[in-house]
Amino acid sequence: DTGVSQDPRHKITKRGQNVTFRCDPISEHNRLYWYRQTLGQGPEFLTYFQNEAQLEKSRLLSDRFSAERPKGSFSTLEIQRTEQGDSAMYLCASSHFGSFQETQYFGPGTRLLVL
Amino acid sequence: GNSVTQMEGPVTLSEEAFLTINCTYTATGYPSLFWYVQYPGEGLQLLLKATKADDKGSNKGFEATYRKETTSFHLEKGSVQVSDSAVYFCALSDLPGGSYIPTFGRGTSLIVHP
């Protein structure tokens, strides 16, 4: 397995546009997480899925953000009407829930710049 | 609530110097503790972990011991290399069998000079 992958790696957009990011987890992992990381900060939790069910969302996840994991495999994160404050690195991670020592494995991230 | 406090960086060292990056935590339960490393332009990579008190996690010459009495999980390496230059994040997760949403520290930048 090649690990968690994310696409695109970089995205530049104008304020007000919509963007969509994709995450492909490690194949046998049933949990998938989205985080946002701004400069000089640690990752902040946004939301997570177990299989196709979205189990928790952070208050950071405004109505402009939506995430899906339709078949319990890859996931998409969409940001509508982007704002300059959305500029950040968006990280995806996956894990296998059910193992005693659950550990998250992170993808390389998608860096978003909103102009 | 849970929180993680890391020493502020950047930490600047010469090659082969000894490294310590301090991490203390506050948790309501019995968390698992982690160190992640982030190289420039990349996502986080798990460096090491410990799941119970007195456990020592180790990897690539780095090690950290879970100290419940001092609520600490300091990262150490005996001899750093230029390639260790990165940002290091301490993290904890509570309820390992339940809702696993880790709490990260702000990260500590390490710069190693030749």
Side-chain angles (χ1 to χ4, degrees):
Chain A
D1 194 352
T2 56
V4 180
S5 61
Q6 293 187 245
D7 184 70
R9 294 291 305 274
H10 304 275
K11 179 72 177 178
I12 301 174
T13 190
K14 293 182 178 179
R15 190 175 52 186
Q17 297 295 304
N18 299 343
V19 295
T20 299
F21 309 141
R22 177 178 170 126
C23 171
D24 287 88
I26 293 171
S27 58
E28 65 268 24
H29 284 180
N30 49 14
R31 281 197 171 175
L32 186 151
Y33 301 78
W34 285 100
Y35 294 86
R36 181 172 67 190
Q37 185 182 19
T38 53
L39 198 62
Q41 301 293 323
E44 297 173 296
F45 168 76
L46 293 178
T47 187
Y48 85 97
F49 294 83
Q50 181 164 314
N51 301 313
E52 64 275 10
Q54 189 172 17
L55 296 188
E56 193 160 342
K57 293 191 288 187
S58 163
R59 282 174 287 181
L60 292 175
L61 209 65
S62 76
D63 291 344
R64 297 185 296 105
F65 288 68
S66 62
E68 295 183 341
R69 194 183 184 198
K71 298 182 181 178
S73 57
F74 73 91
S75 175
T76 58
L77 177 69
E78 181 183 16
I79 309 174
Q80 297 182 325
R81 304 180 304 281
T82 52
E83 301 172 356
Q84 288 183 325
D86 296 332
S87 296
M89 174 82 91
Y90 289 85
L91 297 169
C92 174
S94 70
S95 69
H96 177 71
F97 174 67
S99 59
F100 177 68
Q101 297 179 0
E102 183 179 349
T103 299
Q104 295 190 9
Y105 295 87
F106 283 78
T110 294
R111 186 172 294 282
L112 173 66
L113 178 60
V114 181
L115 301 176
Chain B
N2 295 340
S3 67
V4 175
T5 303
Q6 293 181 235
M7 62 187 289
E8 289 194 21
V11 173
T12 304
L13 296 172
S14 297
E15 209 166 21
E16 299 183 2
F18 184 86
L19 168 71
T20 300
I21 300 179
N22 291 339
C23 170
T24 57
Y25 67 90
T26 303
T28 52
Y30 299 93
S32 295
L33 301 174
F34 305 83
W35 277 101
Y36 282 85
V37 58
Q38 187 174 34
Y39 297 102
E42 298 184 12
L44 276 71
Q45 300 176 25
L46 178 65
L47 182 59
L48 54 84
K49 64 182 180 183
T51 58
K52 62 182 187 298
D54 300 325
D55 269 2
K56 178 183 285 189
S58 61
N59 185 28
K60 300 180 181 179
F62 291 90
E63 59 182 34
T65 301
Y66 188 143
R67 300 288 188 198
K68 191 170 186 297
E69 64 277 12
T70 55
T71 61
S72 65
F73 193 56
H74 304 322
L75 182 68
E76 296 181 336
K77 187 175 185 183
S79 175
V80 294
Q81 306 299 313
V82 172
S83 58
D84 293 328
S85 299
V87 181
Y88 292 81
F89 292 91
C90 185
L92 70 82
S93 73
D94 215 340
L95 299 175
S99 177
Y100 177 89
I101 299 174
T103 300
F104 287 88
R106 295 183 63 174
T108 302
S109 175
L110 171 64
I111 301 169
V112 181
H113 294 294

